[in-house]
Structures are given as structure tokens and as C-alpha cells.
Amino acid sequence: MKKLTWIILVVLVIATIIYFLTKPKFDAKNLDYNYVTLEKGDIEAIVSSTGTLEAINTVEVGTQISGTIKRIYVDFNDKVKAGQLLAEMDLKLLYTNLINAEANLSVAQAKLNQAKEEFERDKSLFGEKVISEQEYSNSKYVYAQALSAKEAALASVKSIKVTMGYAKITSPISGTVIDRSVEEGQTVAASFATPKMFVIAEDLSKMQLLADVDESDIGYILNGMEVRFTVQTFQDKKFHGNVSQIRLQPIKINNVVNYQVVIDVDNKNGELLPGMTANIEFITNVSKNVLIINNSALRYRPNEVMLKEIKPFLLDKAKAFLPDSIQQNFINSINNEELYTPVNFKKKLPPKIDGFFCKDENGELDFKFIQLGIKTGLKSEIVKFLDDNPLKEGQKAINAIKQKK
């Protein structure tokens, strides 16, 4: 009985050892995969940003004099021409000042006339040596003083008349009134700064978009570059523009350095309005009709069984097809147990070299080294395969693993 028990135990131990030795092969054969299909199409590299729409030329119109607004002749959205009357200030106080200044001018003129007569008389008397030189000098000084007083009074009259001219506020440009910040009867003070009364946009059929671009992306932005953007009110419509200026003055936003990029936009349909927020895509590169792979295949992490099965083949392919500059580092990583793991086995490849798993024509597991071009969040351009058996449109790459039931 004891002998039978020992035999059974030995058989169980042997069966267990055989099971664990053959389990990887069993698992490898039991693996099934999900695939993505290689496709041909167009792919774009973009830099995303946000910005605000503005009129290309906007002028703030104000008043150079203080007082009460008598009349306003334009309103929001009115079209105006250069020189058109926009508003008038009340001139009552200025008229009063003008009457006072003209009266002072008359007094100064009268004093000048008197001083002139006395000076001419004293000049004649001094020539006949009837009066002293001091009396003559005093008469000359009084005349010069009266002449200056008259000039000052005349300048005061002219100044008031010029100021009265400022009471008529006219448009400096032709355009559209996009803001009016005053009402009739309102008092404005121009003591320290010119009060803003109107804002006029010169031509809303051509606008500009001001975008803040992160310092990490600004190197990809070039003058003339095509830009695509949307606004909230037309979310399904794509608008287009072109970069016209990259401003060099840095702007700090939340401790991140940004640079302002100016984009020219055609608005002949009038759909875009000043102040709208735009979601912007700078198109930095475009490839058309190229082979494209879904990034899920590049991000796929194989299991240890797959790595063990593919290792000899992977070493041979690395030696045969990888560039010399990266070949040895990659081979060393494959031979390093700490690096040859599902997470790290591709870490020694540079950014533009990658690879993915697939099945060959015999249904065996295969690995393809590829050179990447444009890479977006979802897809990548395959520039070329680094072997002598490239895949074509419609062929498949592994992007997930599943167990057969």
C-alpha cells in the first residue's frame, strides 16, 4: 500500500513539472489577437492654441475738451466715413469764454493804441531834446508791453476758437462703430486723459486673430503658415487664415512663456465678430496619400510569452535592418533581462524609429521595425519599413491580446 502511495506521489510531481514546462508553449498557441488595419490617407501635424478675433485697425475716438455732450449722431454698428460728425459738445461755456476773451482783446487793443500814440509823441520830443532819455525809454517800454498784451489777448481768442472746433467729434477713419460708451447729456472730463466715446473698426471684412502659443511650440510656427480654426457659434464650420506676424515680446501666462501670433482672416461673409474666441490649429506639416498606422499598435505591450518567442528573430532583425547608430544599444537592451520587458523593450529606440507586432504570411508572430513621419495623438505616418518585406494597405498590426475561450 505504501509502495502504491509513493508511486502516485511521484506521478503527480512529474505531471506538475511537465505542466509548468509546457505551459508557456500551450499559452503561446492559445493566444489570439485584436488587430488594426494599415490604411492610406492624409495626415497632418498641428499645434493647437486659442485666440481672440479682432478688427485689423481699431480706433478709439474721444474728446479733447471737458463738458456736456449735446448731441450724438451715431449708434452701435453704424457705418461711418472719415470726417463724418459723430457727436457735439455743448458750447455755452466756451461761447462765454470767447466773449470774455474778445473783450479783453478789445481792451488790449485800446491800451496799445494809447501807448503807441504816446510813444510816437515822446519819440518826436526826444528827438528835439525836449524830454529826457529816461522818459523816452519808459514810453517805449509801455508801448512794447501793450503790444505784447494785445498779442496774448489775440492768442487767447484763437485758442478758444480752436477748442470750440474740438467740440465737433468726427471720425478719423471709415468703418463701423463697434462701441459707444457715452450718452447725450453726459458730462465728460478731459483733464488727465482723453475720454473714450466711440470705438471704430476700419474694415470688418478682414480681421485678425491673436493667438498665444507656448514656447515649446513656437519654433514650429512660420510666417505664411496655414491656420484652421473654429468658433463656438459655428462649431461644425472650419475657418481658415494665414500667419502674418510672430511677435517677439514674451508673455507669461500662469508662469508659462507664450508668444503672440497674428493671423490674417478673411471675413467677407461677416460671420466672424470682434471678441469671438477661436480654437486654432496651426498646420505645421502635411503628408498626403501615405501609409498610416493606428498608434494603439505602437503602444501595445506584449506579454512575456510573446517576448520569449520573438527574441531570437528580433535580434536577427535588429542586426540586419537597424541603423548602426542605434543598433548596438537596442541589441544590448534585448540581452538585458531588466530592460527586455513588455514595458521597456522598445525604450532604446529613438523617437522616429518604432515597431509593432503582426503575423507573417505563414501565420507566425512577426515584428516590424518602421521609420515614422508625422505623428498625431491617434495615428502615425509610416515613412518606410526597415526590412525587405514591407506591409501594404489593408494588412494588419496587433494592438491587443485576448485569450481563446
Side-chain angles (χ1 to χ4, degrees), residues 200-325:
I200 299 175
E202 185 172 15
D203 184 5
L204 292 180
S205 67
K206 294 179 181 179
M207 301 186 71
Q208 65 182 12
L209 191 53
L210 301 182
D212 294 322
V213 178
D214 189 283
E215 62 177 323
S216 61
D217 294 323
I218 194 64
Y220 300 107
I221 310 302
L222 302 173
N223 282 329
M225 179 178 287
E226 184 181 352
V227 176
R228 184 172 56 225
F229 66 95
T230 60
V231 293
Q232 291 184 0
T233 191
F234 301 113
Q235 294 185 13
D236 296 330
K237 183 171 183 177
K238 300 288 186 180
F239 296 90
H240 296 83
N242 293 93
V243 174
S244 62
Q245 186 183 59
I246 301 170
R247 294 179 177 171
L248 302 181
Q249 176 64 34
I251 304 170
K252 271 198 173 182
I253 302 175
N254 297 326
N255 292 323
V256 177
V257 176
N258 288 261
Y259 293 87
Q260 196 167 71
V261 178
V262 182
I263 302 159
D264 288 342
V265 178
D266 187 1
N267 188 37
K268 60 184 178 183
N269 294 329
E271 295 173 313
L272 301 173
L273 304 178
M276 281 185 170
T277 300
N279 296 312
I280 305 164
E281 294 177 341
F282 296 91
I283 304 172
T284 59
N285 197 4
V286 178
S287 291
K288 295 184 178 294
N289 195 32
V290 294
L291 196 62
I292 297 171
I293 186 171
N294 191 293
N295 287 341
S296 61
L298 303 179
R299 291 192 296 262
Y300 167 63
R301 295 178 179 178
N303 63 14
E304 293 180 358
V305 174
M306 294 177 66
L307 286 180
K308 184 176 181 181
E309 182 178 336
I310 202 73
K311 183 175 180 179
F313 189 56
L314 199 58
L315 282 169
D316 291 340
K317 280 205 166 188
K319 292 175 183 178
F321 301 115
L322 284 182
D324 294 339
S325 58

Side-chain angles (χ1 to χ4, degrees), residues 327-343:
Q327 183 185 114
Q328 195 56 53
N329 279 341
F330 184 73
I331 291 173
N332 291 341
S333 70
I334 293 178
N335 291 322
N336 186 322
E337 291 184 1
E338 292 183 359
L339 293 178
Y340 193 59
T341 64
V343 176

Side-chain angles (χ1 to χ4, degrees), residues 91-158:
L91 293 177
K92 291 179 181 177
L93 180 60
L94 287 175
Y95 275 127
T96 301
N97 292 339
L98 179 61
I99 292 171
N100 185 49
E102 288 176 338
N104 290 336
L105 177 61
S106 298
V107 171
Q109 183 64 54
K111 290 183 177 180
L112 175 62
N113 293 338
Q114 180 183 3
K116 183 179 181 181
E117 289 177 2
E118 292 179 357
F119 169 68
E120 289 177 349
R121 184 184 64 243
D122 289 345
K123 182 179 181 181
S124 176
L125 294 175
F126 177 69
E128 296 175 0
K129 298 183 179 181
V130 176
I131 60 175
S132 66
E133 183 177 355
Q134 182 178 0
E135 289 178 314
Y136 171 69
S137 296
N138 288 339
S139 178
K140 184 178 180 181
Y141 171 75
V142 171
Y143 172 64
Q145 190 177 43
L147 184 61
S148 298
K150 187 250 183 173
E151 293 295 329
L154 181 60
S156 179
V157 171
K158 289 181 178 180

Side-chain angles (χ1 to χ4, degrees), residues 381-401:
E381 173 194 1
I382 299 177
V383 175
K384 67 178 179 179
F385 286 85
L386 302 183
D387 63 22
D388 50 8
N389 189 23
L391 298 187
K392 298 178 181 179
E393 180 184 7
Q395 292 184 276
K396 296 181 178 180
I398 296 172
N399 75 334
I401 189 171

